[in-house]
Structure formats: C-alpha cells, structure tokens
Amino acid sequence: MSRISYLLREAFINMGRHALVVVGAVLAVFVSLTLAFSALVLNELVKANTLQWQDGVHVIVWLKDEVRDGVTFEAQMGLLDQVNDWEEVDSASFVGKAEAYQEFQEMFASNPAMLENVNPAILPASIRIKLLNIEEYRAVQLRLIDQPVVKEVTSPGESIEQLADLSSVLNMIGVVLAIVQGISAVVLISNTIRMAIYARREEIGIMKLVGASNWFIRVPFLLEGMLQGFIGALFSVIMVFFMRSRLEGIDDTIGLFDFRVADSFFWRWTILFLLFGALAGFLGSALGVRRYLRE
C-alpha cells in the first residue's frame, strides 16, 4: 500500500513541477475528445430524428376545401380508399378540419398570439400516408398531384435523405477527429513525460545506482500520463453534458426537431471516452519513457 501511495505521490509531484506543459496536454485531450464526442452526439440526434420521421407520416396530401372548392366529402374518402389500395402504401388515414385544428393548438400551445389569429375554418383536411419504403415518396407524390381533390402534396422524404447523408458525414468526421486528435494528444503527452524525465535525469540516475528497477522508475510517469489523459477526457465529458442540457432546453421551445439523447447513449460513451483518455495518456507516457529507460 505504501508503494502505491508513493507512486501516486510521485505522479502528482511530476505534474506539479511542469504545470504549464501538463495543462497543455490536458487541453489537447479535452479539445480532441470534446470535438469527437460532440460529433457523436450530433450524429445520434440526426439518426434518432431520421428514424422517427421514417417511422411516421411520409406523405401528406392537403385536400381542397369542401365549401370554397366544391369538393365533396365522398370524393375525399374515395381518394383515401384509392391510396390505401396502392402497393407502396402501408397505411393512410384521414385528418379532418377539427383534428387539424386540434393538432395546430397542440403544436403552438406556447404561442397564444398565433392561436388567436388563426381561423379553424382555413385549416385544410388532409390524408396522411405511411409508405412501406420511404424511397417511394417521389413516385407517390407524382401520382397524387393531379388528383382533382388534391390541393398540395408535401413530404419530408427529401429532408430525411439529407439527414441520412449528414449522418454518414458526421460518422466520418467523428472517426477522423478521434484518430487525428487522439494521435496529437498521445504525442503531446509523450513530450510532456520526456521533459519530466529530462528534468529528473540526475535523480533517476541515482535511483538506478542504488538498485531501483526500470519499472519502478517508469510507473510514476505512466500514472502521470494516464492522469493527464483521464482528466482531459473528464473535462470533455462534462462539457458535452453541459451542451446536452442546453440542447434539451431548446427542445421545449421548438418541438419540431427532437434534441434529446438517451441517457444510455451518454453513459456508454462517457465510460469509453474516459477509458480512451486514460489509454491515450498511458501510450503517450509509455512512448516518452521508452526512449530514456531501456532495460
């Protein structure tokens, strides 16, 4: 136990002797892992919203008004039955004016001024379509646009495709950042350890003369590097958790894009990033020690 406390004490003493360089190494780990973790979080947000939209309504058919446009309710129901028979369609449902206004009230519940200035009669009825394969949305739009009861056809399909592309880009960015910045952190920590060893070269020489093994000399430097990497990773996790709380606050006001990320995702990646930070520090210190303490 006394040996472990000695090794830890030596690691902290070494860090204190080169505080500025240690701060630089910690900041390198902090910046690199914060960027990589943030890219992962953004990718998870995009993926979650993409899946949510893919599982929801894929095409909305806005119908002409019964009074203003002379469209009958029977004609609207006829189109609904026709759409439900299409092989591309999983399900289709009718949303009348009353239901549309109820949706509008729920969507803008936090904006009373908007609710007061909207006449429920102007909200159109619609048919909401869920497709078996969202990639068919363009073909379905083309088949619907010329129907006599149809006023307009909209679909989030193009946005979903863009989100899927963005998800792929963010995945690549996260991997590249983790690799490049991780290597930078390892190199910086390695240089920090080399400076610490150089500053204590006479003391290390005396320790060797009195019989201290290379591993006994190495361990404090390895612990120092691991601590630097771990502290940098810890700060990056705290920063991302702070940004997460800010994003979830945005969700309460917008409601169109879900900014919430599952706790399981955060805790899983938090553990991995803390381990990665400690491993990067260990590798950096191992490289720094190897040059000076060859057995």
Side-chain angles (χ1 to χ4, degrees), residues 20 113 149 154 164 166 270 272 278:
L20 290 178
V149 298
T154 59
L166 178 60
T270 291
L272 290 175

Side-chain angles (χ1 to χ4, degrees), residues 24 31 92 97 107 110 121 127 131 136 144 156 182 186 188 216 229 231 247-248 256-257 268 283 285 287-288:
V31 172
K97 286 178 171 290
M107 185 175 296
S110 60
I127 294 175
L131 302 174
E136 301 288 341
L144 287 164
V186 169
L188 189 51
F216 185 79
I231 293 171
L247 285 174
E248 289 182 345
L256 299 177
F257 191 92
R268 180 174 69 251
L283 291 175
S285 57
L287 289 174

Side-chain angles (χ1 to χ4, degrees), residues 3-292:
R3 177 173 292 187
I4 295 175
S5 62
Y6 165 78
L7 295 174
L8 288 172
R9 185 173 65 252
E10 285 297 304
F12 281 108
I13 291 174
N14 289 343
M15 291 173 66
R17 287 172 175 168
H18 305 89
L20 290 178
V21 182
V22 169
V23 168
V26 170
L27 286 176
V29 178
F30 164 70
V31 172
S32 63
L33 295 190
T34 299
L35 290 172
F37 203 167
S38 298
L40 283 172
V41 172
L42 288 174
N43 179 59
E44 181 68 13
L45 285 172
V46 171
K47 186 188 301 181
N49 281 273
T50 301
L51 291 174
Q52 177 180 329
W53 291 359
Q54 286 177 338
D55 291 337
V57 175
H58 300 146
V59 178
I60 300 178
V61 186
W62 303 103
L63 302 174
K64 292 180 180 178
D65 191 83
E66 295 179 52
V67 177
R68 292 193 302 269
D69 302 313
V71 175
T72 64
F73 179 73
E74 287 74 16
Q76 294 175 341
M77 291 298 99
L79 178 61
L80 176 63
D81 293 338
Q82 181 183 344
V83 169
N84 270 314
D85 289 336
W86 292 352
E87 61 181 12
E88 303 97 335
V89 175
D90 180 33
S91 63
S93 58
F94 178 80
V95 178
K97 286 178 171 290
E99 293 172 283
Y101 184 61
Q102 184 178 353
E103 281 186 350
F104 182 82
Q105 287 179 309
E106 293 173 357
M107 185 175 296
F108 294 97
S110 60
N111 192 343
M114 176 74 76
L115 296 176
E116 292 175 1
N117 294 325
V118 172
N119 182 359
I122 69 172
L123 296 176
S126 63
I127 294 175
R128 312 289 175 86
I129 303 173
K130 181 177 180 180
L131 302 174
L132 292 171
N133 184 354
I134 193 172
E135 295 178 359
E136 301 288 341
Y137 77 93
R138 287 192 177 91
V140 172
Q141 280 183 297
L142 290 174
R143 293 175 69 178
L144 287 164
I145 198 65
D146 293 328
Q147 296 287 337
V149 298
V150 173
K151 181 179 181 179
E152 185 181 0
V153 182
T154 59
S155 172
E158 187 173 349
S159 298
I160 292 174
E161 290 179 348
Q162 292 173 349
L163 283 175
D165 292 339
L166 178 60
S167 178
S168 300
V169 172
L170 287 173
N171 265 330
M172 186 178 300
I173 290 174
V175 171
V176 172
L177 283 175
I179 294 175
V180 174
Q181 300 288 359
I183 292 173
S184 300
V186 169
V187 171
L188 189 51
I189 291 174
S190 175
N191 289 335
T192 304
I193 299 301
R194 287 177 182 177
M195 291 181 64
I197 295 174
Y198 183 78
R200 298 181 60 195
R201 61 190 183 282
E202 293 182 0
E203 181 182 342
I204 291 172
I206 295 173
M207 292 175 67
K208 282 189 172 185
L209 289 175
V210 298
S213 67
N214 277 349
W215 271 109
F216 185 79
I217 299 172
R218 277 192 177 102
V219 172
F221 296 108
L222 295 176
L223 288 175
E224 180 184 346
M226 291 179 66
L227 285 171
Q228 291 177 27
F230 181 84
I231 293 171
L234 181 62
F235 285 155
S236 73
V237 167
I238 293 172
M239 174 61 73
V240 174
F241 265 77
F242 172 76
M243 292 189 292
R244 175 201 183 189
S245 65
R246 303 296 295 176
L247 285 174
E248 289 182 345
I250 296 175
D251 180 61
D252 294 333
T253 58
I254 296 180
L256 299 177
F257 191 92
D258 191 355
F259 286 91
R260 292 170 296 180
V261 179
D263 290 337
S264 58
F265 171 86
F266 266 100
W267 289 117
R268 180 174 69 251
W269 282 104
T270 291
I271 294 171
L272 290 175
F273 268 76
L274 291 176
L275 291 175
F276 179 82
L279 178 62
F282 177 84
L283 291 175
S285 57
L287 289 174
V289 169
R290 183 184 178 188
R291 178 178 174 182
Y292 292 95

